[in-house]
Amino acid sequence: MKKFTNSGNIDTRSGFGAGMDELGETHENVVALCADLTGSLKLNDFAKNHPERFFQTGIAEANMIGMAAGMTIGGKIPYATSFANFATGRVYDQIRQSVAYSNKNVKICASHAGLTLGEDGATHQILEDLGLMKMLPGMTVINPCDFNQTKAATKAIADFEGPVYLRFGRPSVPNFTEADGKFEIGKALHLVEGADVTILATGHLVWHALEAAEELEAKGISAEVINIHTIKPLDDEAILNSVKKTRCVVTCEEHNYLGGLGESVSGLLAKKDPVYQEFVATNDTFGESGTPAQLMEKYGLNTKSIVEAVNKVLAKK
């Protein structure tokens, strides 16, 4: 199977910051808004280099979303940034009414998503944000897997017309996708070809899926690994073509199984090609305080859990 090399662990939020730095130079209509988290969102360089295009709104996320929506009327491309819990749950009404319903060209960019936020605990570890956002008509939902892909996605959405939710995280994770690679919204990436089982992974779980595929190969199991960086619109063709071959699927995400990637895949398969499916996701629960590694182990979001899910789904074939 194809091998991927980790060029060094780095947080995906830094990929967002790097992408914003480049957009500051190439897209004069891109502006950034931040709810008192400039350093955490890695926007210091953008704010320093383009102070006239950086707006510190303070701890007033609802106002930030309204400001961003208004800026689009004048042709600006606003990137509204905060922690994922605050950028979605706290301001859902404003997003629904002022952004999604009005189809405004706002990019909602959210860091510190999922369990890997770690020690801050359940109040900050949002595990339902993908579901909240994908249910909004017209909202594009993107969850990249590493620094390079987050940087590429950050730049790509500037040229995409319409509201976008871009999710990334706090911890340092393997960086293994191509540097300065092209990011195509809605187009899944085939990482490993396989014949026995399809593994569909998103975000931080993509690297774990690759590790699982290596372990499975050693046991004689051929796993196909696909990076689903865009949750909505889903790449139906890529998924259906893969399961047509393997006849079973495991979905992997740092999110509640309710409302996330797995549920979207289940809906697609129920309509087009029902096959056996297992979920690697949180099971209708909140998180808790702990290190990212401890939490991913406890809640079954790691390489071992993916291998176990594959064995389980294969036993059903």
Side-chain angles (χ1 to χ4, degrees):
M1 60 173 279
K2 181 179 179 181
K3 307 294 184 181
F4 288 82
T5 301
N6 175 16
S7 63
N9 284 18
I10 186 170
D11 49 299
T12 52
R13 58 178 170 154
S14 288
F16 171 71
M20 289 299 292
D21 291 345
E22 293 193 14
L23 286 175
E25 301 300 324
T26 61
H27 289 63
E28 64 180 12
N29 283 330
V30 165
V31 297
L33 300 89
C34 191
D36 203 31
L37 292 167
T38 308
S40 295
L41 271 295
K42 304 297 182 180
L43 286 170
N44 285 326
D45 286 344
F46 185 94
K48 177 183 176 181
N49 296 328
H50 308 283
E52 77 286 357
R53 291 155 57 191
F54 177 75
F55 301 88
Q56 178 58 264
T57 69
I59 306 174
E61 293 86 355
N63 287 345
M64 177 179 70
I65 294 297
M67 290 168 61
M71 287 177 176
T72 65
I73 298 173
K76 300 302 180 184
I77 306 172
Y79 281 60
T81 69
S82 187
F83 289 174
N85 192 37
F86 308 142
T88 59
R90 176 173 288 180
V91 294
Y92 197 67
D93 179 60
Q94 283 74 23
I95 293 172
R96 182 182 187 273
Q97 305 295 74
S98 299
V99 177
Y101 178 67
S102 304
N103 195 36
K104 292 293 190 293
N105 191 32
V106 175
K107 317 306 177 185
I108 300 165
C109 303
S111 182
H112 293 55
L115 287 175
T116 49
L117 171 56
E119 291 82 355
D120 287 3
T123 56
H124 286 53
Q125 295 162 345
I126 193 162
L127 294 164
E128 58 273 14
D129 54 315
L130 296 178
L132 287 170
M133 301 305 282
K134 80 176 188 182
M135 286 190 295
L136 291 170
M139 181 69 69
T140 294
V141 180
I142 299 172
N143 186 37
C145 65
D146 68 359
F147 172 97
N148 287 338
Q149 191 168 77
T150 305
K151 178 182 175 183
T154 300
K155 295 192 294 182
I157 62 176
D159 297 319
F160 175 83
E161 183 68 29
V164 174
Y165 177 60
L166 177 64
R167 184 198 214 227
F168 42 94
R170 175 187 190 182
S172 292
V173 295
N175 188 37
F176 58 94
T177 61
E178 181 183 358
D180 298 316
K182 180 182 178 181
F183 187 90
E184 189 173 350
I185 296 171
K187 189 69 174 178
L189 295 177
H190 279 75
L191 302 182
V192 178
E193 295 293 330
D196 297 327
V197 60
T198 298
I199 303 177
L200 305 175
T202 188
H204 295 153
L205 271 290
V206 176
W207 178 256
H208 290 285
L210 291 170
E211 290 185 326
E214 285 196 41
E215 289 190 22
L216 292 164
E217 183 186 41
K219 299 175 183 177
I221 299 170
S222 175
E224 181 148 293
V225 180
I226 303 177
N227 175 359
I228 308 292
H229 53 67
T230 305
I231 307 299
K232 180 187 174 186
L234 201 62
D235 190 342
D236 295 359
E237 182 179 6
I239 295 168
L240 292 172
N241 285 342
S242 182
V243 300
K244 183 178 180 180
K245 173 175 54 175
T246 64
R247 305 311 300 158
C248 62
V249 61
V250 172
T251 51
C252 313
E253 59 193 309
E254 188 184 348
H255 190 272
N256 194 342
Y257 85 94
L258 297 169
L261 169 65
E263 190 174 78
S264 291
V265 171
S266 291
L268 170 65
L269 297 178
K271 291 186 289 185
K272 298 291 187 178
D273 189 7
V275 300
Y276 289 115
Q277 179 179 352
E278 287 293 327
F279 297 77
V280 174
T282 59
N283 186 20
D284 193 22
T285 184
F286 291 104
E288 61 185 285
S289 183
T291 67
Q294 289 172 334
L295 294 169
M296 296 293 266
E297 171 70 24
K298 177 172 180 177
Y299 289 86
L301 304 180
N302 55 16
T303 303
K304 182 178 79 171
S305 300
I306 297 173
V307 171
E308 291 173 352
V310 167
N311 289 330
K312 190 173 180 180
V313 80
L314 286 174
K316 297 178 180 179
K317 286 177 69 175

